[in-house]
Amino acid sequence: MNSTRLLYQAAGQPPVPAVIDASGWMQLSKRKRPTAPPGGKCYLCGGEVEGAGVPTAERFGETWTAHGDALQPDAEWLCAACAFSLSEAATHPAKPNPFKMRTMTHLVIGSQWELLGLSDKRRMAEVLLSPPRADPWLLCIQDAPLSAGHAIYRTPVNAAGATAWRVTLGGSVIAGSPTHLAAVLTPIEALYLAEHSKTAIRTGVYTPKWILAQGENDWARLEASIVPLRGQPIFELALFLAQKGTDDE
């Protein structure tokens, strides 16, 4: 099962306003009407449209720049699950007002769908350090909500019980495992707790004041452990997740 369908099922397959069936297709003007009623393969995920969908040309206009991501670029229909994942006015029991799907972090474990924000990094790290064992799952992390692009459809689904995982951070796929992440996250959090900024940790350019405050030997040991990983995707994920005593942004 792909990511949009796992999410859509966990959400309870809610109605998507733009989705139409064969009768809705007949009511479209000939200029906007796809050549056949809803069916065939989904433009974005490549799955079956199953009798109801959104005309591809209707959903993807000039502002859509990710046509290269489409698994069926010639398809005239987008499935309901993909349309839901691209919603600009979705709803969730934990969020009272409609929201843009692309601005939130989405955690789906089997039939459970959680919405997470920048203050929920502990929850994100918890899942990555101890992955779900009983259900397939996905984690689509949005690190910049104000400039967010759609990323759910790019997010891999991890098999139940698998220790190695793949998630997305800002739309980029990152592969890792609990052991690999812990090996990077532990020293990064120790440096962050010692008042080094995330910019300093990312660049390796530290403020001498904080090195002396921490102790040069302790700082040098931690810095040496992350030097080989600096710039790698797992390093960026760990740096994003790093927290002090309480959740912060």
Side-chain angles (χ1 to χ4, degrees):
M1 181 179 294
N2 66 39
S3 56
T4 62
R5 295 184 181 225
L6 182 65
L7 169 63
Y8 192 49
Q9 288 189 11
Q13 298 184 338
V16 181
V19 170
I20 59 174
D21 57 14
S23 62
W25 169 75
M26 287 295 296
Q27 295 173 25
L28 294 175
S29 67
K30 290 184 177 181
R31 183 175 60 85
K32 293 185 176 181
R33 185 189 301 167
T35 57
K41 300 296 184 180
C42 171
Y43 161 85
L44 196 55
C45 74
E48 296 295 332
V49 173
E50 298 175 347
V54 177
T56 302
E58 191 75 10
R59 180 58 182 82
F60 301 112
E62 295 180 359
T63 59
W64 180 260
T65 59
H67 291 291
D69 291 340
L71 293 185
Q72 294 289 330
D74 296 327
E76 295 184 293
W77 292 95
L78 183 71
C79 73
C82 285
F84 176 70
S85 77
L86 302 174
S87 175
E88 297 290 305
T91 59
H92 186 281
K95 201 168 179 65
N97 299 317
F99 59 92
K100 296 177 180 179
M101 293 287 280
R102 58 190 170 86
T103 65
M104 302 297 298
T105 289
H106 302 270
L107 170 62
V108 181
I109 303 175
S111 62
Q112 301 299 312
W113 170 33
E114 294 181 46
L115 287 180
L116 305 176
L118 291 175
S119 63
D120 297 312
K121 293 173 185 173
R122 289 293 182 199
R123 175 59 175 149
M124 302 176 205
E126 175 187 30
V127 171
L128 297 179
L129 293 171
S130 183
R133 296 182 178 182
D135 298 292
W137 62 280
L138 67 84
L139 180 59
C140 174
I141 302 173
Q142 186 47 259
D143 59 349
L146 295 180
S147 59
H150 292 290
I152 296 170
Y153 70 91
R154 294 175 174 167
T155 304
V157 174
N158 297 293
T163 52
W165 39 252
R166 292 188 299 157
V167 300
T168 51
L169 175 65
S172 297
V173 177
I174 297 177
S177 69
T179 302
H180 194 188
L181 178 61
V184 193
L185 183 58
T186 299
I188 284 178
E189 283 199 327
L191 289 165
Y192 194 35
L193 186 60
E195 301 301 333
H196 302 289
S197 69
K198 288 193 175 183
T199 298
I201 298 170
R202 173 178 286 112
T203 61
V205 180
Y206 293 86
T207 301
K209 170 185 174 181
W210 298 119
I211 294 177
L212 294 174
Q214 180 182 7
E216 290 188 61
N217 290 338
D218 190 30
W219 167 81
R221 175 181 58 82
L222 294 169
E223 168 64 7
S225 71
I226 65 173
V227 165
L229 298 169
R230 182 171 278 122
Q232 294 185 17
I234 195 71
F235 179 95
E236 291 300 321
L237 176 61
L239 189 62
F240 170 79
L241 294 173
Q243 299 287 282
K244 296 182 180 177
T246 58
D247 283 352
D248 62 16
E249 295 186 4

